[in-house]
Amino acid sequence: MVEVGISNVIKKYGAVDAIKGISASIKDGEFVVLVGPSGCGKSTLLRMIAGLEEISGGTISIGSKVVNDMPPKQRNIAMVFQNYALYPHMTVAQNMGFALRLARANKAEMDKRVREVAEILGLTEYLDRFPRALSGGQRQRVAMGRAIVRDPAVFLFDEPLSNLDAKLRTEMRTEIKALHLRLKATMIYVTHDQIEAMTMADRIIVMHDGLVEQIGTPLELYDEPVNKFVAGFLGSPPMNFLPARISGGKLLTDAGSDSVCIAEMPDQEDRDGLDVGIRPDKFEIADDGIPMRVNVVEPTGAEIQVVGDVDGRNMVVVFRDRLVFNHGDIARVRPVQNGFYLFDAKTGDRLPVA
Amino acid sequence: MTFMLAGPAVYVLWLSFTVSNFGQNPQFVGWQNYAAILTDRYFWTAAWNTFIVVNAVVYIELLLAVLVALVVASLKTGRMLMFAVVLVPYGISEVVGVLSWRFLADPSIGLITNTLALIGIDFNWTLNPEAALVLITTISIWHHLPFSFVIIYAAIISVPNELYEAARVDGATKWQEFWLITAPIIVPAALLAIIFRYVFAFRMFSEVWLVTQGGPIRLTEVLGTYLYRTGFRYSDFGGAAATGWLMVLGSLLLAAIYLRAIYRSAFRDA
């Protein structure tokens, strides 16, 4: 059983705290995605798990062993790098077999293992090529092959798809997921792309500014974000936010000189300083809704994306009906029943709606 | 441009088939100059010395360049300062450099000679041709190390850090990182440095002329000084020109061998 335990981990670079105390436990065989905007510390955390960065505080354990002071090679991990990090002077086969060669594996066994893995990844015919003679997608596969050959307890992926084009990225996403089902190994995957996180993860760890914002399954995070950051980070197009207040049992937002009622909230006390969050697909047309000026209309076939603004605040609304909008129209929209979230505008924390 | 390069070369080629000196017009003599040189035992001494010194210079210098480049590249702070310090010899005039070494190695009062004498080594290069060649080799390495260093250093720092990280995760020791990652990747750069240094060292002159003038009894002569002595001491321009062409052929042969090696290491592919 190989769990990965992260407990109060801190990373300091001089006076700068890159990671400010993170705890998480990753279960055996789980596919966990670390996601967050650039500079949030996700890659640093991954590199600390790999043993490529020192740990300034707290502990990281792999299996039952605390690995803080263990060099990478003793941690039983394999890592796939963003730029693949293939050895340019070695063939595909030599790249994939490098770890086994260092471990002084039997030559015949090594060849057999490399061939097996090349078969899985469809690399058999490229085994004698050098990396420079491969396409980006093939290099990516070799990098994964190099990790798989070692049969590690934990796979670490550092933004492995960010150098691929969109189509290949979608394909590789599925392939990595299939690989996970096949190998049943623990995998930790870093990305800044929330779609990768949503589609691949068993559980997502959302990071921001060196801290964990929320940990949960993709749908938990999507449906029940604990704060404005998580709500705004996951989902595409992202959630819309408008300043709001509760007054006389109504949730109100200001549009121009008018106050527009977003929803009836008869049981709530009056309060200011709220943000209302509404996902783009949770709107309906209503005569007394929020007046949104239409700027751009983007039909995708299945749906229509309407990009507009309310008092200069950008809004994106997605309709599945084929409604007709023109540039400059005022569209009156409001959230569907229970289709919105409330946040404290100062702290960003989510507030109960009912 | 072509004329500027080829003109003198062709003239010297013609000169090498003639006999001439000051006050005498060149007379065509065919291969006579070449025959004379190739049967001159001083030529063979000079060729042998050149062979020994050049190989010693090229390979010791390459080894030092790799070591120094590895050390400088591994520094966390002061990298640029060390880089500048290593480059200093290249900024010193050849004559000044050689004369300084000559002073340091002066048989009676030199710092180096006296230090070596303390540990029981008699380093009198004015009497001992081997010692003189060691001194000449040392000076040449000292003076040109920055050249090899810059080439090797550039190659070393161009190796992406991710490769070392991947190797560490794959289980490589520091030693294996060097031999299995760094060394193979810098081979083309090292071959390039070797070619240039072979060609430079092959025409070595001032180190020898300013230290021993080829003596004692022409035992430390190299091809460069042999040529100079033939041409300007014995006024045998034809012989000097022929020596020059033999040196060019030697350089070309060496360069061809190493260029082929570079070509193979850089372009081998499946």
Side-chain angles (χ1 to χ4, degrees):
Chain A
M1 296 292 279
V2 191
E3 297 98 8
V4 176
I6 299 163
S7 167
N8 291 315
V9 166
I10 294 169
K11 176 73 190 179
K12 292 177 200 275
Y13 290 107
V16 181
D17 291 3
I19 291 182
K20 301 166 184 166
I22 282 185
S23 297
S25 68
I26 292 157
K27 296 191 216 91
D28 179 48
E30 199 175 22
F31 195 113
V32 168
V33 173
L34 296 174
V35 70
S38 47
C40 71
K42 56 193 189 297
S43 280
T44 307
L45 182 60
L46 191 79
R47 292 165 56 81
M48 285 158 88
I49 298 171
L52 296 173
E53 297 277 355
E54 272 178 45
I55 300 167
S56 312
T59 58
I60 291 180
S61 59
I62 296 176
S64 52
K65 274 176 270 170
V66 172
V67 296
N68 282 33
D69 300 320
M70 232 182 236
K73 62 175 171 178
Q74 288 172 19
R75 298 189 181 197
N76 200 10
I77 46 138
M79 183 151 168
V80 178
F81 292 83
Q82 180 172 2
N83 299 318
Y84 320 134
L86 301 181
Y87 310 121
H89 55 292
M90 296 184 199
T91 63
V92 169
Q94 287 167 337
N95 262 287
M96 287 171 60
F98 190 62
L100 298 180
R101 178 176 157 205
L102 293 177
R104 301 186 186 284
N106 172 294
K107 178 92 174 68
E109 223 150 86
M110 190 168 115
D111 285 348
K112 183 164 159 268
R113 180 79 186 128
V114 168
R115 292 211 154 267
E116 275 171 19
V117 174
E119 193 72 36
I120 297 175
L121 294 167
L123 287 171
T124 309
E125 55 181 310
Y126 305 110
L127 280 175
D128 295 324
R129 289 218 192 156
F130 285 91
R132 65 176 165 270
L134 300 178
S135 69
Q138 288 162 344
R139 288 179 201 183
Q140 172 62 55
R141 269 171 229 265
V142 177
M144 295 209 309
R146 191 168 65 183
I148 298 167
V149 162
R150 303 179 45 196
D151 194 19
V154 181
F155 284 83
L156 306 174
F157 294 89
D158 190 3
E159 309 220 12
L161 305 184
S162 56
N163 288 352
L164 300 179
D165 62 49
K167 182 165 175 284
L168 210 51
R169 194 151 55 214
T170 317
E171 281 173 28
M172 291 304 290
R173 221 155 68 192
T174 318
E175 259 184 64
I176 293 178
K177 194 71 194 148
L179 203 66
H180 176 240
L181 294 175
R182 177 180 181 140
L183 300 173
K184 299 184 175 64
T186 309
M187 294 188 175
I188 305 176
Y189 186 106
V190 162
T191 181
H192 62 269
D193 180 347
Q194 54 91 20
I195 294 193
E196 270 176 36
M198 293 293 289
T199 51
M200 298 172 80
D202 292 331
R203 278 196 306 156
I204 297 177
I205 299 177
V206 180
M207 290 178 64
H208 181 218
D209 262 350
L211 288 169
V212 169
E213 295 283 345
Q214 193 174 1
I215 303 179
T217 66
L219 292 182
E220 274 168 21
L221 299 196
Y222 188 83
D223 291 339
E224 303 293 338
V226 294
N227 57 33
K228 201 176 153 186
F229 178 81
V230 176
F233 193 77
L234 298 179
S236 172
M239 188 182 276
N240 299 293
F241 295 103
L242 292 170
R245 65 195 144 85
I246 297 172
S247 173
K250 289 177 195 296
L251 178 64
L252 302 172
T253 188
D254 292 328
S257 51
D258 297 338
S259 285
V260 181
C261 173
I262 298 174
E264 304 282 340
M265 301 187 86
D267 304 335
Q268 297 267 9
E269 290 181 15
D270 289 5
R271 78 174 275 187
D272 273 345
L274 296 174
D275 276 326
V276 61
I278 311 159
R279 294 220 181 263
D281 57 338
K282 297 293 187 197
F283 282 99
E284 59 188 8
I285 300 287
D287 291 340
D288 56 351
I290 308 159
M292 175 179 82
R293 192 175 52 225
V294 175
N295 294 329
V296 180
V297 180
E298 300 174 339
T300 61
E303 54 189 34
I304 296 171
Q305 263 189 36
V306 182
V307 182
D309 70 280
V310 176
D311 285 354
R313 281 191 190 79
N314 285 330
M315 293 253 292
V316 180
V317 179
V318 171
F319 293 108
R320 298 204 60 102
D321 303 323
R322 297 225 166 155
L323 303 170
V324 178
F325 297 97
N326 291 307
H327 175 78
D329 284 359
I330 299 292
R332 288 199 165 257
V333 294
R334 82 170 165 218
V336 299
Q337 186 84 36
N338 298 325
F340 64 92
Y341 301 87
L342 282 184
F343 303 94
D344 185 315
K346 273 216 186 71
T347 62
D349 289 342
R350 186 164 149 223
L351 305 168
V353 168
Chain B
M1 184 70 189
T2 313
F3 180 78
M4 275 177 63
L5 287 174
V10 172
Y11 177 68
V12 169
L13 182 63
W14 174 73
L15 213 55
S16 73
F17 292 107
T18 65
V19 169
S20 69
N21 58 36
F22 292 115
Q24 181 198 346
N25 281 329
Q27 301 277 317
F28 187 80
V29 292
W31 293 98
Q32 190 186 302
N33 287 325
Y34 289 93
I37 290 166
L38 293 176
T39 52
D40 179 1
R41 70 187 175 90
Y42 292 119
F43 173 80
W44 289 109
T45 312
W48 177 247
N49 285 342
T50 305
F51 177 79
I52 298 290
V53 170
V54 164
N55 277 296
V57 163
V58 168
Y59 289 104
I60 296 173
E61 186 178 312
L62 183 72
L63 195 71
L64 285 174
V66 171
L67 284 175
V68 176
L70 283 173
V71 170
V72 174
S74 71
L75 291 178
K76 294 228 159 43
T77 53
R79 244 202 225 198
M80 287 320 286
L81 180 72
M82 276 310 293
F83 189 79
V85 168
V86 175
L87 291 194
V88 163
Y90 225 45
I92 295 174
S93 144
E94 220 176 353
V95 175
V96 173
V98 174
L99 291 180
S100 308
W101 273 93
R102 205 181 138 155
F103 176 69
L104 283 172
D106 186 277
S108 47
I109 59 160
L111 185 66
I112 295 173
T113 331
N114 287 349
T115 311
L116 286 175
L118 280 181
I119 54 170
I121 298 171
D122 177 27
F123 188 72
N124 192 340
W125 49 270
T126 53
L127 299 175
N128 180 347
E130 279 87 32
L133 290 176
V134 167
L135 180 62
I136 288 163
T137 304
T138 309
I139 297 173
S140 184
I141 291 173
W142 168 83
H143 196 242
H144 292 277
L145 181 64
F147 175 84
S148 301
F149 163 79
V150 166
I151 293 181
I152 301 291
Y153 179 75
I156 286 177
I157 60 171
S158 74
V159 179
N161 205 25
E162 273 192 345
L163 292 190
Y164 296 116
E165 294 185 338
R168 275 165 70 196
V169 172
D170 276 344
T173 58
K174 280 277 164 204
W175 188 246
Q176 286 169 323
E177 277 178 36
F178 175 75
W179 284 110
L180 301 177
I181 310 289
T182 317
I185 293 179
I186 65 172
V187 161
L191 288 172
L192 193 73
I194 288 175
I195 291 186
F196 272 104
R197 284 302 287 128
Y198 258 126
V199 173
F200 291 166
F202 209 71
R203 54 175 211 228
M204 169 185 295
F205 174 76
S206 51
E207 288 92 336
V208 179
W209 196 253
L210 293 169
V211 172
T212 66
Q213 292 204 8
I217 46 170
R218 301 187 76 173
L219 281 175
T220 61
E221 205 149 64
V222 291
L223 290 172
T225 57
Y226 179 87
L227 183 151
Y228 183 84
R229 194 182 292 274
T230 309
F232 300 107
R233 286 283 158 95
Y234 305 149
S235 298
D236 175 8
F237 297 144
T243 311
W245 266 95
L246 288 173
M247 287 171 70
V248 167
L249 291 178
S251 285
L252 280 180
L253 190 71
L254 275 170
I257 293 171
Y258 280 92
L259 276 175
R260 197 175 139 78
I262 289 190
Y263 189 79
R264 290 174 121 188
S265 73
F267 296 100
R268 73 188 159 149
D269 217 326

